[in-house]
Amino acid sequence: MKLRSLSLWSAGLLLLAGLLPGLAAAAAPGIPALTVTGTGAGQSYSLTLQLLILMTAITLLPSILLMMTAFTRIIIVLTILRQAIGAGQSPPNQVLVGLALFLTFFVMSPVIDRINTEAVQPYMAGTIETTEALSRGVVPLRTFMLDQTRESDISSFVRIAGGKGYDKPDDVPLSILVPAFATSELKSAFQIGFMIFIPFVIIDLVVASVLMSMGMMMLSPVLISLPFKIMLFVLVDGWSLVMGTLAASFYR
């Protein structure tokens, strides 16, 4: 898992560096970063423009994780599940984010392995240039996003951008594919969350009806239904079902 995490960070840095125009042409010269003067001759230190851009690109990695991977769908479904159970802040946000991150690495492992094998490792070995590494590295990520994106969402953003459509899916630019993919992920997440929410709503309705029929209207139905919802979720092995369903939803 550690190696896959490092590969994801390397691939993300590589992709981000290529999205910035003129990176390959500006990689050779250096820009003055610091000049030290003393009684003798001054000494200057330079920082290559490529390294400066790569360090700046680190700040965009969270956006890549959120908008171009499986993280969005997973974290939304887990948050809806916690809301459906009604257990307050249990599990806490840190646990949900941790589960979402590791499940994202699990789902994205084939994509990460392809990027690492086809782009990152040859680039680190110096056998290919930056532009070629970017061309190779973006293919697995583009394929993953295209498989999860609805055609209607792509058509909507093409229409918004004033385009006339594309002959094949590979012609769709990232400027349209990324927001279309994010929109499709939101739709899928809420669809899965709706299916998860229904059983817990039924339990709340049954408990509320029983309490009203017994004349116990002052007693909160949530207080009574919470143990039943937790017991039902544990008996059906709910966490395994939710995790398995989420992972399988990306490879249907």
Side-chain angles (χ1 to χ4, degrees):
M1 183 63 68
K2 183 178 180 181
L3 293 177
R4 289 176 178 172
S5 303
L6 293 175
S7 300
L8 180 60
W9 278 75
S10 301
L13 286 173
L14 186 62
L15 291 172
L16 278 175
L19 295 178
L20 300 175
L23 178 60
I31 57 175
L34 178 64
T35 302
V36 180
T37 58
T39 55
Q43 185 177 6
S44 62
Y45 301 90
S46 65
L47 181 67
T48 62
L49 188 59
Q50 183 182 24
L51 181 60
L52 181 62
I53 294 175
L54 286 176
M55 295 299 294
T56 306
I58 293 178
T59 59
L60 298 178
L61 279 178
S63 299
I64 284 185
L65 179 63
L66 288 174
M67 307 310 298
M68 301 177 70
T69 65
F71 182 82
T72 301
R73 184 189 304 186
I74 295 172
I75 190 63
I76 290 177
V77 171
L78 293 180
T79 305
I80 293 176
L81 172 62
R82 182 178 65 180
Q83 184 73 20
I85 295 176
Q89 292 298 315
S90 296
N93 292 329
Q94 294 86 343
V95 175
L96 291 184
V97 172
L99 286 173
L101 282 173
F102 281 102
L103 191 56
T104 300
F105 287 134
F106 174 78
V107 171
M108 299 295 296
S109 58
V111 179
I112 296 172
D113 292 340
R114 282 192 60 190
I115 295 176
N116 183 51
T117 302
E118 299 176 5
V120 176
Q121 292 302 326
Y123 177 75
M124 294 298 181
T127 57
I128 59 176
E129 298 295 332
T130 305
T131 54
E132 185 178 355
L134 289 168
S135 300
R136 293 184 182 182
V138 77
V139 172
L141 194 60
R142 176 189 291 274
T143 302
F144 173 80
M145 289 192 292
L146 282 173
D147 291 339
Q148 307 302 323
T149 306
R150 296 173 174 84
E151 293 183 4
S152 59
D153 294 326
I154 295 179
S155 300
S156 298
F157 281 96
V158 170
R159 184 174 61 255
I160 293 172
K164 297 182 180 179
Y166 301 93
D167 296 333
K168 53 184 179 178
D170 292 337
D171 295 335
V172 180
L174 290 177
S175 59
I176 291 178
L177 179 58
V178 173
F181 170 75
T183 304
S184 292
E185 287 297 283
L186 290 174
K187 290 181 180 178
S188 300
F190 278 96
Q191 287 176 355
I192 298 174
F194 172 79
M195 299 302 297
I196 292 176
F197 218 109
I198 291 300
F200 298 103
V201 172
I202 293 175
I203 294 177
D204 288 333
L205 291 175
V206 170
V207 171
S209 300
V210 171
L211 290 179
M212 290 185 64
S213 64
M214 297 175 63
M216 304 174 65
M217 292 177 293
M218 299 300 296
L219 184 61
S220 174
V222 178
L223 184 63
I224 305 300
S225 64
L226 179 59
F228 289 99
K229 290 190 289 187
I230 294 177
M231 180 183 66
L232 174 65
F233 194 68
V234 172
L235 289 177
V236 300
D237 198 9
W239 287 112
S240 296
L241 289 175
V242 171
M243 295 296 181
T245 302
L246 276 174
S249 66
F250 291 96
Y251 298 101
R252 58 183 183 275

